[in-house]
Amino acid sequence: MSIKDIQEYLKPRMEQVESTIEYYLRSNIGLLDSTNRMMREHPGKMLRPMLCLLVAGACGKPARDTIRFAAAAELLHNATLLHDDVVDGATLRRGRPTVAQILSSPASVLIGDYWLTRSMHAILNADKYNEQVLRTFSATLADLAEGEMLQLQKASQGDTTEEEYITIIYDKTASLFVATAVSAAISVDASEEVVAAVRAYARKLGIAFQIKDDILDYAPPSEELGKPVGQDLKEQKMTQPLLSALSSAPAEEERRIRSLIGQLADKPEVIPEILAFVEKYKGVEQAAGVMDSYINAALQSLSILPPSREKEALVTLARYVADRDK
């Protein structure tokens, strides 16, 4: 099974998800409605709705609420992207100008707020368990804010540890994977044991997904990535490739590189030196090993689920996360 096979298998339900998203994004405000439609023309990977549908199918029979929760996850994900583009000063998203670049940063924040509220509305309209799922997504919103603030706090200090890095990427990325998978399991009345299993799968999958993103930031320049390569260093973000290299370097060299990270805001010309350091200590290769360990742990979490096409697809999805090149 390939990722394309999964997309084809899920196509009828994904069309329902897309229709649901469009329904909740309708607005009588022309500028808002046209901007929403522009964003929907290039929806990205739609991994979170795929995850929701697959988890529901692996745990039971997908319901109408499964579609609502899948749509809610995608709406919330895009809300965070609109906000992130403002925080990061990004001009490109998925290889195209950001809303902040086309309209303005305030407009991007406002539209992000709109997508966020529509996500919550989709959950509140669920036939069952809307309060339980709303609490799950609400916890994710707190995680997203805390992760962003911790990352901002650490940016100029150059002292991020691997433990802090995992906390940041859980909060900013994996927490929404968790909310998506848990809401999917809840939508089909899964047992607490099964909910715990898919929670573990989604947590590890989400962390691996972000580590892969951070590895790609050290890849050779490519228009396919949709964002400038090396952007994380420019923003003083210490990610797994750099942290892995630091863990292999002598203490004196580690201190020197950490000091350079703290100076990046004023001295971006030191970036090539940091990149050379990461290459010297095989930071990318080590980071790939860390990512693989999370992928393997994610797959082990699925052992409780009975054999099914959806379970097989969850395995494929995890391997796709590790193997993707953008």
Side-chain angles (χ1 to χ4, degrees):
M1 181 178 288
S2 68
I3 196 71
K4 289 185 178 180
D5 293 331
I6 296 174
Q7 290 169 335
E8 187 62 30
Y9 176 63
L10 293 178
K11 187 175 180 180
R13 288 200 174 102
M14 286 294 285
E15 288 175 350
Q16 291 180 304
V17 173
E18 289 171 354
S19 296
T20 302
I21 291 172
E22 290 171 6
Y23 170 79
Y24 282 105
L25 287 178
R26 288 175 189 165
S27 170
N28 293 325
I29 309 301
L31 179 60
L32 176 59
D33 195 52
S34 63
T35 304
N36 289 340
R37 281 189 278 106
M38 176 192 72
M39 290 179 62
R40 291 300 303 153
E41 288 173 0
H42 307 287
K45 305 176 188 72
M46 297 279 284
L47 278 182
R48 290 147 196 87
M50 287 172 60
L51 174 64
C52 189
L53 296 174
L54 291 175
V55 167
C59 299
K61 184 178 180 181
R64 185 165 58 176
D65 283 349
T66 308
I67 302 298
R68 291 192 178 104
F69 298 155
E74 186 67 10
L75 286 163
L76 178 52
H77 171 58
N78 280 277
T80 67
L81 298 183
L82 286 159
H83 290 163
D84 283 351
D85 287 341
V86 174
V87 172
D88 298 338
T91 59
L92 292 176
R93 169 68 63 183
R94 296 166 182 159
R96 296 170 176 82
T98 61
V99 172
Q101 179 76 1
I102 295 170
L103 297 178
S104 66
S105 292
S108 189
V109 171
L110 290 170
I111 295 170
D113 289 346
Y114 183 78
W115 284 57
L116 170 60
T117 58
R118 302 315 287 166
S119 170
M120 298 301 104
H121 199 65
I123 295 169
L124 287 170
N125 279 348
D127 297 323
K128 296 191 297 183
Y129 307 120
N130 54 10
E131 182 177 348
Q132 186 178 353
V133 172
L134 188 61
R135 289 181 185 276
T136 300
F137 275 83
S138 177
T140 295
L141 287 171
D143 289 335
L144 289 164
E146 289 182 358
E148 193 67 55
M149 291 305 297
L150 178 57
Q151 185 167 269
L152 286 172
Q153 176 182 308
K154 289 291 178 180
S156 62
Q157 297 175 358
D159 63 351
T160 304
T161 64
E162 290 201 43
E163 182 179 358
E164 288 167 336
Y165 166 72
I166 294 299
T167 297
I168 290 169
I169 67 173
Y170 172 80
D171 286 350
K172 291 191 62 181
T173 301
S175 61
L176 183 51
F177 277 69
V178 168
T180 301
V182 168
S183 66
I186 290 172
S187 75
V188 296
D189 298 309
S191 68
E192 290 185 9
E193 187 180 18
V194 168
V195 170
V198 299
R199 179 191 296 274
Y201 168 82
R203 179 183 184 278
K204 292 155 189 169
L205 180 71
I207 289 173
F209 179 89
Q210 187 57 53
I211 292 175
K212 180 66 174 188
D213 255 15
D214 295 340
I215 288 171
L216 291 172
D217 197 65
Y218 283 81
S222 168
E223 293 181 1
E224 292 293 318
L225 292 177
K227 71 171 185 175
V229 174
Q231 189 65 31
D232 288 343
L233 276 179
K234 292 175 185 176
E235 296 168 6
Q236 297 176 282
K237 296 175 183 175
M238 298 183 66
T239 60
Q240 192 64 57
L242 177 56
L243 291 166
S244 292
L246 287 168
S247 70
S248 301
E252 184 176 346
E253 193 168 3
E254 177 186 359
R255 286 192 294 270
R256 182 179 65 83
I257 294 297
R258 286 186 179 276
S259 176
L260 291 179
I261 294 292
Q263 301 171 43
L264 274 172
D266 300 317
K267 297 175 63 177
E269 63 271 16
V270 304
I271 287 179
E273 183 177 351
I274 298 171
L275 291 174
F277 168 81
V278 172
E279 183 176 2
K280 175 183 176 181
Y281 288 101
K282 301 188 181 302
V284 169
E285 293 85 349
Q286 291 190 67
V290 175
M291 176 195 66
D292 287 341
S293 69
Y294 277 100
I295 291 292
N296 291 333
L299 295 178
Q300 290 174 11
S301 299
L302 296 176
S303 60
I304 189 177
L305 301 179
S308 68
R309 189 167 182 181
E310 286 82 2
K311 179 180 178 179
E312 181 185 350
L314 288 172
V315 172
T316 298
L317 187 65
R319 290 176 176 152
Y320 165 76
V321 163
D323 296 337
R324 66 195 172 94
D325 55 8
K326 61 180 178 178

